[in-house]
């Protein structure tokens, strides 16, 4: 079976199964096996992102940062890059490095304004900016979501937070 056409997908599904079962170290091994055997795979950005997510869940923030950075630097996938950039900010937030968290979160807003798969994360970024009293940046995040999201519920939530920020 090692030469099967389904080996690549098997590694991905195995990693996802371990991920959902909260077996993060096993998930990391499965994703790394996929990347080792199929580095140019269409699934490579997702596998690399999932490695970062697994490290994040294990609270291994430095490893998560390195994994998420690879998503951005090694692959041309804006969806996963935007999500990875968000989690880079979250890693810095968990490490109490608020300056780097702010810079990373700003990158999500500035570098990926058209990526709607991270609209909910952008709301979280706005909330973070509000909590650290950076109201102009919170407004930027909320306004961007309100303008570009295709989800009416997310748009309403963004509009609510715009009002809350102005209040």
């Amino acid at each position: 079976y090692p030469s099967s056409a389904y080996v690549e997908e098997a590694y991905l599904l195995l990693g996802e199964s371990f991920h959902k079962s909260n077996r993060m170290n096993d998930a990391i091994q499965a994703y790394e096996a996929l990347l080792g055997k199929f580095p140019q795979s269409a699934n490579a950005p997702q596998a690399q992102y999932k490695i970062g997510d697994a490290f994040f869940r294990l609270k291994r923030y430095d490893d998560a940062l390195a994994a998420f950075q690879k998503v951005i630097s090694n692959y041309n996938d804006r969806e996963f890059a935007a999500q990875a950039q968000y989690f880079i900010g979250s890693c810095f937030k968990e490490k109490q490095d608020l300056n780097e968290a702010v810079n990373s979160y700003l990158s999500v807003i500035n570098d990926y304004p058209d990526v709607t798969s991270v609209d909910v994360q952008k709301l979280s970024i706005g909330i973070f900016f509000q909590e650290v009293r950076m109201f102009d940046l919170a407004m930027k995040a909320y306004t961007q979501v309100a303008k570009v999201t295709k989800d009416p519920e997310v748009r309403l939530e963004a509009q609510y937070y715009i009002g809350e920020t102005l209040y």
Side-chain angles (χ1 to χ4, degrees):
Y1 83 92
S3 60
S4 168
Y6 300 106
V7 171
E8 176 187 340
E9 185 177 6
Y11 279 124
L12 183 65
L13 294 174
L14 183 62
E16 289 176 355
S17 177
F18 285 139
H19 215 110
K20 289 178 182 173
S21 300
N22 207 30
R23 294 173 54 187
M24 296 303 157
N25 289 315
D26 293 328
I28 291 166
Q29 285 182 332
Y31 296 132
E32 286 177 340
L34 185 153
L35 292 172
K37 293 182 192 265
F38 305 97
Q40 302 304 316
S41 162
N43 293 316
Q46 180 180 1
Q48 186 62 56
Y49 171 80
K50 294 282 194 166
I51 290 170
D53 184 66
F55 280 132
F56 186 84
R57 290 171 188 248
L58 291 169
K59 300 182 188 307
R60 292 174 52 185
Y61 301 118
D62 289 330
D63 292 326
L65 281 167
F68 287 131
Q69 192 58 49
K70 286 180 184 176
V71 173
I72 296 168
S73 61
N74 294 354
Y75 305 104
N76 190 20
D77 187 311
R78 290 183 52 77
E79 299 290 329
F80 282 111
Q83 293 175 36
Q85 189 65 54
Y86 170 78
F87 275 102
I88 287 171
S90 296
C91 287
F92 283 122
K93 181 180 171 188
E94 292 298 325
K95 292 174 57 146
Q96 302 298 310
D97 188 340
L98 296 185
N99 287 332
E100 286 298 322
V102 166
N103 290 335
S104 296
Y105 287 152
L106 276 174
S107 181
V108 176
I109 294 166
N110 293 332
D111 297 343
Y112 306 99
D114 57 327
V115 179
T116 59
S117 65
V118 290
D119 286 347
V120 172
Q121 289 90 335
K122 287 178 185 176
L123 287 177
S124 297
I125 291 169
I127 292 167
F128 167 77
F129 285 143
Q130 220 174 328
E131 289 171 352
V132 297
R133 308 192 61 73
M134 299 175 103
F135 299 113
D136 56 332
L137 296 177
M139 284 296 291
K140 184 174 182 177
Y142 299 143
T143 302
Q144 187 178 102
V145 173
K147 285 181 181 177
V148 301
T149 190
K150 293 174 176 71
D151 184 331
E153 290 182 29
V154 173
R155 180 175 290 110
L156 283 174
E157 196 169 350
Q159 291 169 338
Y160 167 82
Y161 284 120
I162 289 170
E164 184 179 89
T165 303
L166 292 172
Y167 181 73

